[in-house]
Amino acid sequence: MHPPAPGEAPSHIIAPAFHLNREDWEADFRRLHTDLPADRVFHERRDILAEARTRLRDRFLAADVGITGANFLIAETGSSVIVTNEGNGDLTQTLPRVHIALASIEKVVPTLEDATSLLRLLARSATGQDFSVYTTFSTAARREADLDGPEEYHVVLVDSGRSNMIGTEFQEMLRCIRCAACMNHCPVYGAVGGHAYGWVYPGPMGSVLTPSLVGIDKTGMLPNASTFCGRCEAVCPVKIPLPKMMRHWREREFERHLTPAAARSNLALWAWFAKRPGLYRLATRAATGCSACSAAARGLHLAAAGRRLDRGPRPAGAGGRHLHGAIRQDPAAAVRRFRRAAPGYRSRA
């Protein structure tokens, strides 16, 4: 993996440098920290941590303003809550003279009890912890009797189109607590990584939220980046129906003719066949036969060329409708038939 580029965007919402390894960090430190001795070693993760701590601590102590996000904003007490496992958030909001908490409007919860319930869900769904290492509540500026804290405390609420989601098919997305459970279990995110999503929010939650904030005309590829396996909805601690909302975005994209012309024409052709079951069965049988003939022809060509013949699995001889009927009539026989046809299957008999 190449060293991170200057200004490289995060790839994960709770582990921003998830895509980097120890070698990446060492290369970046040696490039940017020009006063590092040539014989300085970074054999362990703690060596990386010590170098980062040394550089950052001076920045925290010298800063006049600290800007943090907020996992929750509590309306009952006027408090902001941040959840971290490394403590940089606490240094940012306690050492500088001014603390600015920047958070989107859906982070507001009514009461302290609501916040504590959601905090338990957040840590368990994000990292598997009962509670994160640092869970910090900040309320107003430092009082005379306080030993630390900022002299000024400001909260900035960000809308950026979120209020427009209220009353629409996407309102449930505002329940998101940013635990990242959906992307941790998403096969698409696992294959392409967070940077492929092109904006702040990757994974399934980004595929729903980003079009709401930026517009489907600029982000049409995101709701299509899904297998609809349903893992994201199954693991979501606040039960957001992410696949359903991605379908809504796909519908809007299709209605506005934002999908490529080839995709639209192919889908229309499939729909025409799907509405005619008899013709559909005939077409699928013909396609299966053509595939088998094509595979056989390729095998003969390879054999004639003196190369090793590596046959792939033969196309299924029956369509889905036929198999469904066979399963209903004799489930045990259908299972045995599937096992015989499955590549690599060996009978235990």
Side-chain angles (χ1 to χ4, degrees):
M1 182 178 290
H2 296 292
E8 183 173 345
S11 63
H12 195 279
I13 60 174
I14 65 169
F18 188 70
H19 58 289
L20 302 179
N21 56 34
R22 183 183 59 79
E23 289 77 14
D24 297 324
W25 283 110
E26 178 178 356
D28 215 32
F29 282 163
R30 294 195 185 280
R31 177 170 57 88
L32 297 174
H33 302 173
T34 55
D35 57 341
L36 273 177
D39 58 349
R40 176 70 181 273
V41 297
F42 294 97
H43 295 324
E44 303 291 339
R45 292 184 179 90
R46 59 174 173 267
D47 300 326
I48 300 291
L49 179 62
E51 174 65 17
R53 179 183 289 128
T54 300
R55 303 287 174 158
L56 290 173
R57 195 57 54 91
D58 292 337
R59 299 287 185 93
F60 289 129
L61 292 171
D64 291 322
V65 177
I67 302 177
T68 70
N71 292 92
F72 302 105
L73 298 172
I74 306 174
E76 181 182 51
T77 62
S79 305
S80 63
V81 185
I82 61 170
V83 176
T84 68
N85 274 323
E86 76 289 328
N88 288 339
D90 286 356
L91 295 174
T92 302
Q93 66 181 8
T94 57
L95 293 179
R97 187 179 61 84
V98 179
H99 173 210
I100 301 174
L102 185 69
S104 50
I105 58 174
E106 76 270 25
K107 301 296 184 67
V108 179
V109 297
T111 67
L112 184 62
E113 183 178 359
D114 296 324
T116 53
S117 298
L118 290 172
L119 282 169
R120 295 181 65 189
L121 286 179
L122 175 60
R124 294 177 181 184
S125 300
T127 58
Q129 299 167 279
D130 287 333
F131 246 72
S132 61
V133 176
Y134 299 97
T135 302
T136 307
F137 293 70
S138 297
T139 307
R142 180 175 60 192
R143 297 164 296 189
E144 292 184 2
D146 293 337
L147 298 177
D148 56 18
E151 297 175 14
E152 298 180 26
Y153 172 73
H154 306 276
V155 176
V156 179
L157 291 174
V158 178
D159 188 314
S160 288
R162 289 169 173 83
S163 59
N164 294 332
M165 298 168 63
I166 299 173
T168 70
E169 304 98 321
F170 310 105
Q171 176 172 327
E172 291 172 291
M173 189 63 222
L174 296 175
R175 295 205 302 262
C176 179
I177 60 175
R178 307 297 193 273
C179 67
C182 60
M183 62 188 70
N184 291 343
H185 291 80
C186 176
V188 175
Y189 175 89
V192 304
H195 290 144
Y197 290 81
W199 207 55
V200 179
Y201 304 109
M205 56 85 63
S207 296
V208 173
L209 184 58
T210 300
S212 301
L213 304 182
V214 179
I216 189 61
D217 55 324
K218 299 178 182 177
T219 58
M221 76 295 293
L222 294 184
N224 289 286
S226 174
T227 64
F228 285 167
C229 64
R231 291 183 186 177
C232 52
E233 182 176 4
V235 300
C236 178
V238 290
K239 305 303 179 185
I240 299 174
L242 291 164
K244 182 184 77 172
M245 288 189 282
M246 280 188 273
R247 288 190 183 94
H248 286 317
W249 277 127
R250 288 188 183 187
E251 292 167 1
R252 294 193 178 192
E253 180 193 26
F254 192 82
E255 290 168 358
R256 295 174 59 180
H257 298 273
L258 299 175
T259 52
R264 293 179 60 83
S265 59
N266 289 337
L267 185 59
L269 179 62
W270 176 87
W272 187 85
F273 274 100
K275 293 176 182 177
R276 295 160 176 83
L279 189 58
Y280 186 87
R281 285 193 295 270
L282 181 63
T284 53
R285 288 172 184 170
T288 300
C290 291
S291 298
C293 292
S294 177
R298 287 196 300 271
L300 290 174
H301 175 73
L302 290 174
R307 301 175 184 173
R308 176 179 176 271
L309 181 60
D310 187 9
R311 292 182 180 271
R314 292 176 58 85
R321 292 175 179 270
H322 176 77
L323 291 176
H324 178 67
I327 290 172
R328 293 185 63 182
Q329 292 175 7
D330 191 346
V335 170
R336 288 194 298 271
R337 180 181 176 187
F338 169 78
R339 287 177 173 174
R340 286 195 299 270
Y345 171 73
R346 295 292 183 272
S347 175
R348 295 184 181 180

